[in-house]
């Protein structure tokens, strides 16, 4: 296995990580922004107020996107296992 193959696998793995984590990060970002705006408008300065809504939002996102996330990771793992002899030989 040469450096080009290693870099290609690392590149694909990093892209997969970004792709499957994006829905949860976006939901967390949006909920945090909404709660921050509400805290500013109402002058409530409680730092722990965003924790429960973010937790619920991320849980619901995992429930909705979980199958897609699992399929994406499984496809990448299958690709790695199918090409393992090629990677080891090269």
């Amino acid at each position: 296995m040469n450096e080009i193959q290693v870099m290609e696998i690392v590149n694909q793995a990093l892209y997969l990580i970004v792709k499957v984590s994006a829905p949860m990060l976006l939901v967390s970002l949006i909920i945090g922004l909404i709660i921050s705006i509400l805290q500013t408008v109402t002058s409530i300065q409680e730092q722990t107020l965003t924790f429960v809504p973010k937790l619920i939002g991320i849980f619901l996102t995992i429930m909705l996107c979980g199958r897609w996330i699992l399929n994406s990771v499984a496809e990448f793992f299958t690709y790695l296992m199918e090409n393992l002899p090629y990677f080891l030989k090269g």
Side-chain angles (χ1 to χ4, degrees):
M1 181 182 274
N2 59 22
E3 296 85 15
I4 295 172
Q5 291 172 327
V6 172
M7 290 303 296
E8 180 182 326
I9 293 171
V10 169
N11 192 13
Q12 289 174 353
L14 289 174
Y15 177 71
L16 178 68
I17 290 168
V18 170
K19 184 173 74 169
V20 299
S21 65
M24 288 152 300
L25 292 174
L26 287 174
V27 166
S28 178
L29 177 74
I30 291 169
I31 291 173
L33 184 63
I34 291 170
I35 298 295
S36 293
I37 290 171
L38 289 175
Q39 283 180 328
T40 303
V41 169
T42 61
S43 297
I44 297 174
Q45 297 303 320
E46 180 63 35
Q47 296 298 323
T48 60
L49 186 62
T50 61
F51 181 71
V52 173
K54 282 184 182 180
L55 187 66
I56 292 170
I58 290 172
F59 178 73
L60 290 174
T61 304
I62 291 173
M63 293 289 289
L64 293 173
C65 299
R67 180 173 290 163
W68 170 73
I69 291 170
L70 185 61
N71 285 338
S72 297
V73 173
E75 285 176 11
F76 183 67
F77 181 75
T78 304
Y79 164 76
L80 289 177
M81 290 300 111
E82 287 176 350
N83 292 312
L84 187 62
Y86 172 71
F87 296 144
L88 294 178
K89 185 192 317 180

